[in-house]
Amino acid sequence: MGTLLTILAILFLTLIVIIPLLEKFAAKGGEPKNYGHLTRWFIPMIMLILVLQLLHHYFG
């Protein structure tokens, strides 16, 4: 139970720090960012993660 509370406390404190930083350094202006160039990386990265998890399951 103590470990769970420690993890929750760390997550809560991290959110308290990260949210103001994200708001401070967020893009100004209103123009939407184009993330279309990232979509070509999704499927290969998911496949890599699946292969690594499979290797970890059998040899880990």
Side-chain angles (χ1 to χ4, degrees):
M1 184 71 173
T3 306
L4 176 64
L5 292 176
T6 303
I7 291 171
L8 288 174
I10 290 172
L11 287 174
F12 184 72
L13 290 174
T14 304
L15 283 175
I16 289 175
V17 171
I18 288 177
I19 289 175
L21 287 175
L22 287 175
E23 290 175 351
K24 180 179 179 182
F25 293 112
K28 303 287 190 267
E31 74 269 356
K33 292 199 176 216
N34 185 9
Y35 293 111
H37 64 281
L38 294 177
T39 57
R40 66 182 178 131
W41 290 98
F42 289 160
I43 300 297
M45 291 302 285
I46 291 171
M47 294 303 294
L48 177 65
I49 290 170
L50 288 173
V51 169
L52 290 174
Q53 286 295 322
L54 184 67
L55 290 173
H56 179 71
H57 176 72
Y58 284 117
F59 300 112

